[in-house]
Amino acid sequence: MRESEAPLRILGANKPLFKAPIPVGQLYKPQWEQYCNAMSGIFERAYYNNNGPLLNELEEKIANFIGVKHAICTSNATLGLMIALDAMNLKGKVIVPAFTFVASVQAVEWNNLEPVLCDIEPNSQHIDIEHLKTLITDDVSAIMAVNLWGNVCNIIELERIAEEHNIKLIMDSAQAFAAEIDNRKVGQFGDCEVFSFHATKIINATEGGCICTNNDVLAGKMRAIRPTYPANPNIEVERVINARMSEAQAAMALLSFNQLQANLSKNRLLFNVYNDELRDVAGIRSINSSSNVKPNFQSFTFRVDEKEFGLNRDQLQRVLVEENILARRYFYPGLHSYLNYSSSTLENAVVACRESIQLPIGDLVDEKSAYQICQVIKLAQQLSRSIKEVL
Ligand SMILES: *Cc1c(COP(=O)(O)O)cnc(C)c1O
């Protein structure tokens, strides 16, 4: 890569490999002209919110795409999760995987429910079903599982367990729009599923979310809590919160939805570069999906085994950031460290928080950069001794 100077910035090269920082997160965007047209349509109609025509179009498109009866868009996924839990009138405890974004647990706490952290499987980083079974007690009213990294967890088994114990199953599928398991799209499982359309996810509404369900009664309640005016007099709910998606958000989401296939292909291309190039690097354990799953490839996440790799995760991150590759530690710090939990039962989640790192996939990465990023990682391993000396 570099010829006449130090091979890495951390070892003294005078410039980072990339001029502009490359962040993680999808960050796909529409063509400027398309965006302007969409906005001028909103201005002409002078209709900005509250079940507008773009929102209706989006909800219909999503429901058809997934094959689910109801798609209810919200201003973000966190509010979507809060509304989903509220509409179910849950009591007591909700089981949540210990390795997830903080919003999953916050949504539980906002509903005055008690989150119970469950460990994860080390290879998929999804909820550990065997540990989950030991956590189901009489005061558990729901499981909120999470589909991570654009992959899909063992939803089929979770549905079976929820049914057996007569408890609810909510999926935090914030990261998994368009992913499939057994040729069925995520969004049609459990009692409901919630997607995020945050700019870092595969559908970018700047901010946005969507609850999907096949349950008519639940859907009615969720729409009433979101809410839309005038309120439906036939549906009574205890409380409402403004979680409406605006027409401007819906316009962005629709444009993003039009690009979905192209963006899925690009994600897959970049994911495969990382996966192929890093497969044989000692100490790198990438998170892969099972064979019945089609991921949306929105993230390439791997664990760094310090003994084998020569550097620990944080040291590798330093090397990458120096080159303007803004690899992120996910999820860090872990939930177990600020919820009052004995981490002895959450061993795999603790290791995942310590060792996991994510590489950029999305609009700001091209194939050549992905190869170069892999080169930096390989160099970091070869030069790990000298790197440790300067850190
Ligand atoms: C992004 C994300 C959320 C939150 O989504 P927002 O739309 O930002 O509220 C929740 N859970 C997981 C797993 C996420 O990745």
Side-chain angles (χ1 to χ4, degrees):
M1 274 192 301
R2 290 174 168 109
E3 273 152 30
S4 58
E5 46 170 354
L8 291 169
R9 172 91 161 144
I10 195 119
L11 296 176
N14 60 6
K15 277 196 224 128
L17 181 59
F18 296 101
K19 253 195 224 142
I22 306 181
V24 298
Q26 297 269 271
L27 306 176
Y28 289 118
K29 59 185 182 299
Q31 302 280 326
W32 179 241
E33 294 72 30
Q34 295 174 339
Y35 177 79
C36 291
N37 284 341
M39 290 304 135
S40 84
I42 295 173
F43 297 167
E44 276 163 30
R45 288 187 293 277
Y47 196 102
Y48 296 93
N49 205 333
N50 200 38
N51 247 356
L54 298 180
L55 181 91
N56 284 319
E57 185 185 337
L58 178 65
E59 289 187 341
E60 199 181 313
K61 280 200 169 145
I62 292 172
N64 286 338
F65 175 75
I66 290 171
V68 69
K69 267 169 105 173
H70 306 278
I72 302 155
C73 287
T74 53
S75 39
N76 59 58
T78 307
L79 281 160
L81 290 167
M82 284 165 59
I83 289 175
L85 292 161
D86 196 34
M88 289 180 186
N89 295 319
L90 301 173
K91 297 262 175 323
K93 297 176 174 169
V94 177
I95 300 175
V96 190
F99 193 58
T100 180
F101 186 54
V102 63
S104 324
V105 164
Q106 280 170 338
V108 172
E109 292 186 323
W110 268 91
N111 275 278
N112 288 321
L113 297 160
E114 186 188 331
V116 176
L117 296 185
C118 180
D119 207 5
I120 56 164
E121 296 165 6
N123 297 327
S124 69
Q125 301 194 327
H126 284 136
I127 196 161
D128 179 339
I129 303 244
E130 291 313 310
H131 188 219
L132 167 73
K133 287 180 185 163
T134 69
L135 297 174
I136 300 179
T137 50
D138 288 346
D139 50 357
V140 166
S141 59
I143 300 166
M144 181 196 280
V146 183
N147 289 315
L148 279 185
W149 317 139
N151 282 333
V152 190
C153 67
N154 192 347
I155 300 189
I156 316 286
E157 182 61 9
L158 289 174
E159 279 188 331
R160 202 197 54 71
I161 291 171
E163 194 171 334
E164 179 189 327
H165 293 273
N166 196 22
I167 55 179
K168 302 288 184 203
L169 175 63
I170 301 142
M171 295 301 309
D172 177 345
S173 296
Q175 305 185 356
F177 190 81
E180 295 178 21
I181 181 164
D182 294 341
N183 296 314
R184 290 168 65 196
K185 289 219 168 56
V186 166
Q188 50 181 289
F189 293 93
D191 291 280
C192 68
E193 297 200 49
V194 179
F195 296 108
S196 171
F197 300 154
H198 184 263
T200 54
K201 315 284 160 90
I202 189 152
I203 299 283
N204 174 8
T206 63
E207 293 267 7
C210 182
I211 316 170
C212 289
T213 181
N214 280 311
N215 182 324
D216 298 341
V217 176
L218 207 51
K221 278 192 175 177
M222 288 164 171
R223 286 186 188 283
I225 298 170
R226 181 179 59 178
T228 306
Y229 298 108
N232 182 340
N234 300 320
I235 299 178
E236 256 185 60
V237 289
E238 251 173 61
R239 52 185 182 174
V240 301
I241 188 166
N242 179 0
R244 292 184 294 277
M245 176 183 270
S246 74
E247 286 289 278
Q249 287 176 291
M252 274 290 285
L254 281 166
L255 294 171
S256 192
F257 190 77
N258 289 342
Q259 298 180 339
L260 178 64
Q261 293 312 324
N263 296 346
L264 283 168
S265 303
K266 180 166 182 192
N267 282 356
R268 191 177 57 224
L269 175 82
L270 297 173
F271 185 98
N272 287 339
V273 170
Y274 290 140
N275 208 27
D276 294 345
E277 288 295 303
L278 300 177
R279 181 171 291 144
D280 297 327
V281 179
I284 288 196
R285 315 223 187 295
S286 64
I287 308 301
N288 281 301
S289 53
S290 41
S291 57
N292 61 336
V293 166
K294 257 194 234 159
N296 69 21
F297 297 105
Q298 71 156 45
S299 335
F300 184 82
T301 305
F302 63 93
R303 286 189 293 127
V304 183
D305 180 311
E306 181 173 7
K307 275 208 199 93
E308 283 184 37
F309 186 75
L311 296 174
N312 65 31
R313 185 267 315 264
D314 292 356
Q315 292 165 333
L316 175 62
Q317 187 197 26
R318 274 283 304 281
V319 172
L320 292 165
V321 169
E322 292 280 337
E323 305 290 358
N324 261 338
I325 305 158
L326 306 190
R328 284 278 301 271
R329 303 182 289 188
Y330 270 100
F331 294 98
Y332 186 85
L335 293 172
H336 59 272
S337 61
Y338 47 93
L339 286 178
N340 223 354
Y341 269 93
S342 128
S343 46
S344 64
T345 52
L346 302 173
E347 253 166 81
N348 296 329
V350 171
V351 172
C353 291
R354 193 174 62 223
E355 295 188 343
S356 300
I357 188 164
Q358 195 175 105
L359 297 178
I361 289 187
D363 198 45
L364 303 179
V365 197
D366 58 20
E367 196 178 357
K368 179 168 168 236
S369 317
Y371 277 108
Q372 289 177 308
I373 290 169
C374 295
Q375 268 319 107
V376 170
I377 294 171
K378 290 177 191 176
L379 270 175
Q381 170 163 64
Q382 286 158 23
L383 303 169
S384 59
R385 287 227 179 118
S386 339
I387 292 169
K388 276 192 162 154
E389 277 165 27
V390 300
L391 280 176

